Amino acid sequence: MDTQEQNRLDLQHHLATRLLEGKLYLAPIGNVNRVLDFGTGTGIWAVEFAEQHPEADVLGTDLSPIQPEYVPPNLRFEVDDVEDEWVYSAPFDFIHGRYILPSLKNPRATLQRIYDFLRPGGYVEIMETLMVIEAIDDSLRNTVLPRWHTLILDGVRKMGRGDPMVPLKTKQWLTEIGFVNVTEKKFAVPANGWARGDEQKIRGHLMMTNLLEAAQGITMSICMKVWGWSKEEVELFLVDVRAALKDRAVHGYVPM
């Protein structure tokens, strides 16, 4: 994973923290002993959580070893695939994850593992983003963005990389598995700086940066590998995508 992508992951963390009004989580966890951050990415959430909760033993896991070397003494990182069998020696008081379920082959099975390794009375908190841009009006209609969505969503499915719309099913799955007091909080994050209010504009600019940085890699990969486009065709298409993402006349938002 290159430096630009790592920076984008950290940007996503900063946006999430703003959405949660400066908090790292919403669950009423109190003091905790064992905490798991699966799909930890750069480890930024786990580091901040460990600093705020010195009483907790915090474990961050990810497929990529991109986490910092120097971390709080109560935090450790492991390279691990969340879809492999879980072999932890004891259950967790709090399990946290962000932006990972849609990329899994069997996300429901991962939620079942979370249930099996959560102590009675423990909490799980998962934040996800839908890979779509919706709008408060019809300003998306004559842009390239609906076509972009279709190409990406269908392409991800054809490549066997999971289901981008999994977040819409997560609450039902959690309830079916046996979790209680399941709460879902929805956010509509402006896709650029079109919305009124300083805070909304900041969130919009963060989201726009995230979308612009993600667009190149995912569009190039899917349109060439799945749809057979040439590199030049994708680059021309991306010119229109970037222009639409930056256009404040497009009143789009990303559901989270």
Side-chain angles (χ1 to χ4, degrees):
M1 185 180 296
D2 60 28
T3 301
Q4 181 178 353
E5 179 62 12
Q6 293 182 41
N7 290 338
R8 190 178 74 85
L9 295 179
D10 285 349
L11 180 146
Q12 289 182 332
H13 169 74
H14 295 309
L15 174 57
T17 304
R18 295 197 79 97
L19 293 178
L20 302 185
E21 299 180 349
K23 301 175 183 177
L24 292 175
Y25 53 88
L26 296 177
I29 61 173
N31 288 335
V32 287
N33 294 317
R34 285 175 52 80
V35 176
L36 171 65
D37 183 36
F38 67 97
T40 194
T42 65
I44 188 170
W45 183 92
V47 169
E48 293 185 14
F49 184 93
E51 290 173 343
Q52 293 183 15
H53 293 269
E55 81 284 359
D57 176 22
V58 184
L59 170 64
T61 64
D62 200 276
L63 282 171
S64 301
I66 58 173
Q67 300 77 36
E69 182 178 354
Y70 299 103
V71 298
N74 58 323
L75 168 63
R76 59 193 171 90
F77 293 112
E78 292 181 359
V79 175
D80 189 31
D81 186 341
V82 71
E83 296 203 87
D84 287 344
E85 181 182 359
W86 287 25
V87 291
Y88 303 114
S89 59
F92 296 93
D93 304 296
F94 183 38
I95 297 178
H96 175 268
R98 281 182 183 166
Y99 318 129
I100 187 170
L101 292 183
S103 66
L104 301 181
K105 296 177 182 177
N106 192 341
R108 196 183 192 283
T110 294
L111 296 177
Q112 180 66 59
R113 291 188 183 97
I114 291 172
Y115 182 85
D116 294 339
F117 278 83
L118 197 65
R119 71 161 177 80
Y123 289 89
V124 57
E125 182 163 317
I126 298 170
M127 177 179 277
E128 297 291 353
T129 301
L130 289 181
M131 293 176 61
V132 297
I133 299 176
E134 300 178 355
I136 63 170
D137 51 26
D138 63 356
S139 56
L140 278 178
R141 183 179 302 171
N142 294 321
T143 75
V144 71
L145 296 179
R147 184 185 180 209
W148 184 49
H149 294 159
T150 301
L151 289 168
I152 298 303
L153 294 177
D154 290 349
V156 168
R157 295 186 182 105
K158 283 180 176 292
M159 292 178 76
R161 291 187 176 180
D163 181 359
M165 306 308 284
V166 155
L168 298 178
K169 307 173 185 177
T170 303
K171 182 179 180 181
Q172 177 184 340
W173 285 347
L174 289 169
T175 302
E176 291 172 352
I177 287 169
F179 287 94
V180 297
N181 300 323
V182 178
T183 302
E184 184 177 47
K185 187 172 180 63
K186 298 180 179 181
F187 299 93
V189 184
N192 60 35
W194 66 266
R196 293 181 179 178
D198 290 344
E199 179 60 28
Q200 291 297 326
K201 290 187 183 302
I202 291 172
R203 295 177 183 183
H205 284 299
L206 288 171
M207 179 56 78
M208 181 183 70
T209 302
N210 175 53
L211 292 170
L212 288 170
E213 292 187 0
Q216 175 76 24
I218 191 170
T219 308
M220 190 66 70
S221 175
I222 288 175
C223 286
M224 291 181 68
K225 293 179 181 178
V226 177
W227 306 121
W229 292 18
S230 69
K231 183 177 181 180
E232 291 73 21
E233 288 174 324
V234 182
E235 290 289 5
L236 286 173
F237 181 60
L238 280 169
V239 170
D240 293 334
V241 170
R242 294 189 189 100
L245 289 173
K246 295 177 182 178
D247 186 357
R248 293 203 293 178
V250 178
H251 303 145
Y253 64 90
V254 177
M256 294 183 66

